[in-house]
């Protein structure tokens, strides 16, 4: 048998190796690019803090007395009977802190949900549609950006004598969406020029499905980060409004506790247990949400994820150069 026939037989027996398709390469690249924030220490610490506060808000009210009860002695320091002492009116501080956690978390989540929905409408929709419709939606977004949010909330709240936490959350939500909408609009304008979006349009897919299936999955990390930022802004905004006497007057939140402590002269009376616990809870919750947000930012921006390693390499190079000198 000749060499040519042997070569043909070997070629028939061995399957031909096809070059990797573009889709498989893109899938491999996307799999390598997707890095879950759960591997980040920032995410673990932040999620632990937030989860602990959420569990405290759910479980603690079951084992505490009525937060509005005035049957206790006034201004008792922390003890075995009252873990966080009592207020000027005899309210148990542990019970108020637990119920206040529920109120503050509800305000933050509802306000963040309203803000993210509005930012989706005025951001993603405007970035995808383009043309005069984008200009109209962007004009309204720019107007809302230049309007100061917190003073507007203060003006609105001052004209409403009876304020529930739902009203405060609604007002905070409709005044905090413009910045996120601007970022989402720019990102959506970039995504709408991608090949897979064009392919979906050529295939006859409806705009709603293109946005939901092709664009929204790429915006999920950014949407999560914006939602967490909106929650932080709402909780801090509600605490500031309540401290000024413009917060909910029919509900208990951490902000209303601080307002009661300020009006009851807790600092002058030395009743630190009245204002320190809600302040610490606000700070811990804000720190936990901020750490989660930082971890998500590292997923969105790989430069942030590589920054610590780059800084260590620079320090190591400088140290080696100093030793060599």
């Amino acid at each position: 048998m000749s060499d040519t026939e042997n070569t043909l037989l070997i070629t028939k027996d061995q399957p031909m190796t096809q070059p990797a398709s573009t889709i498989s390469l893109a899938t491999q690249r996307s799999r390598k690019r997707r890095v879950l924030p759960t591997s980040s220490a920032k995410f673990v610490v932040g999620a632990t803090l937030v989860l602990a506060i959420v569990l405290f808000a759910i479980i603690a009210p079951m084992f505490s007395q009525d937060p509005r009860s005035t049957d206790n002695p006034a201004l008792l320091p922390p003890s075995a009977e009252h873990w966080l002492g009592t207020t000027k009116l005899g309210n148990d501080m542990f019970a108020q802190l637990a119920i206040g956690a529920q109120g503050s978390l509800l305000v933050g989540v509802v306000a963040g949900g309203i803000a993210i929905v509005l930012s989706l409408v005025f951001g993603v929709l405007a970035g995808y549609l383009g043309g005069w419709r984008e200009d109209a939606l962007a004009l309204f977004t720019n107007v809302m950006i230049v309007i100061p949010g917190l003073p507007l909330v203060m003006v609105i709240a001052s004209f409403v004598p009876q304020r529930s936490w739902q009203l405060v959350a609604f007002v905070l939500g409709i005044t905090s969406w413009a910045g996120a909408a601007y970022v989402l609009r720019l990102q959506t304008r970039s995504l709408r020029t991608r090949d897979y979006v064009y392919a979906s349009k050529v295939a006859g897919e409806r705009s709603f499905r293109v946005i939901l299936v092709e664009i929204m999955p790429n915006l999920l990390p950014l949407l999560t980060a914006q939602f967490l930022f909106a929650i932080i802004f709402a909780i801090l905004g509600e605490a500031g409004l309540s401290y000024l006497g413009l917060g909910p007057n029919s509900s208990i939140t951490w902000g209303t506790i601080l307002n009661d402590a300020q009006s009851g002269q807790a600092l002058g009376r030395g009743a630190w247990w009245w204002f320190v616990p809600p302040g610490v809870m606000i700070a811990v919750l804000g720190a936990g949400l901020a750490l989660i947000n930082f971890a998500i930012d590292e997923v969105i921006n790989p430069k942030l994820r590589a920054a610590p390693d780059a800084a260590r390499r620079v320090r190591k190079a400088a140290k080696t150069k100093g030793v060599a000198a």
Side-chain angles (χ1 to χ4, degrees), residues 294-317:
F294 292 155
I296 296 174
D297 285 341
E298 291 180 354
V299 175
I300 300 173
N301 189 357
K303 293 181 180 179
L304 296 177
R305 190 167 59 249
D309 294 333
R312 281 194 292 268
R313 287 196 298 268
V314 170
R315 288 196 298 267
K316 184 177 180 180

Side-chain angles (χ1 to χ4, degrees), residues 273-294:
W273 57 87
W274 196 354
F275 59 87
V276 169
V280 170
M281 294 292 279
I282 293 174
V284 170
L285 180 60
L289 292 173
L291 287 173
I292 297 175
N293 207 347
F294 292 155

Side-chain angles (χ1 to χ4, degrees), residues 31-49:
R31 287 177 180 174
K32 293 179 181 178
R33 189 176 64 251
R34 295 292 181 182
V35 179
L36 294 177
T38 52
S39 59
S40 172
K42 297 176 184 177
F43 181 85
V44 174
V45 175
T48 302
L49 294 176

Side-chain angles (χ1 to χ4, degrees), residues 112-125:
I114 294 174
I116 206 67
V117 169
L118 291 176
S119 63
L120 282 173
V121 173
F122 289 92
V124 177
L125 193 60

Side-chain angles (χ1 to χ4, degrees), residues 152-171 174 241 245-250:
L152 178 61
V153 174
M154 294 171 61
V155 171
I156 295 174
S158 62
F159 281 99
V160 182
Q162 296 296 326
R163 297 176 297 273
S164 62
W165 70 264
Q166 293 93 337
L167 176 63
V168 174
F170 176 76
V171 174
I174 63 174
L241 288 174
L246 299 175
N249 47 21
S250 60

Side-chain angles (χ1 to χ4, degrees), residues 65-73 89-91:
Q65 58 180 258
D66 184 5
R68 291 186 171 86
S69 175
T70 57
D71 297 334
N72 307 307
L89 299 177
N91 307 126

Side-chain angles (χ1 to χ4, degrees), residues 169-307:
F170 176 76
V171 174
L172 289 171
I174 63 174
T175 56
S176 61
W177 58 269
Y182 181 80
V183 175
L184 290 173
R185 179 166 62 87
L186 295 180
Q187 187 67 19
T188 306
R189 288 178 62 183
S190 174
L191 291 173
R192 77 183 182 188
T193 60
R194 304 295 174 86
D195 293 338
Y196 54 85
V197 176
Y198 279 131
S200 299
K201 292 180 181 179
V202 172
E205 298 290 349
R206 295 182 178 180
S207 298
F208 177 77
R209 189 180 185 281
V210 174
I211 294 175
L212 191 64
V213 176
E214 304 295 344
I215 293 179
M216 288 295 293
N218 294 281
L219 294 176
L220 281 180
L222 186 58
L223 284 172
T224 306
Q226 296 293 343
F227 178 64
L228 293 176
F229 178 79
I231 292 177
I232 297 173
F233 175 83
I235 292 175
L236 295 178
E238 183 276 326
L241 288 174
S242 297
Y243 185 78
L244 297 174
L246 299 175
N249 47 21
S250 60
S251 304
I252 299 176
T253 64
W254 291 334
T256 59
I257 296 174
L258 290 175
N259 179 60
D260 292 339
Q262 187 269 339
S263 61
Q265 299 180 352
L267 183 61
R269 296 171 181 267
W272 57 267
W273 57 87
W274 196 354
F275 59 87
V276 169
V280 170
M281 294 292 279
I282 293 174
V284 170
L285 180 60
L289 292 173
L291 287 173
I292 297 175
N293 207 347
F294 292 155
I296 296 174
D297 285 341
E298 291 180 354
V299 175
I300 300 173
N301 189 357
K303 293 181 180 179
L304 296 177
R305 190 167 59 249

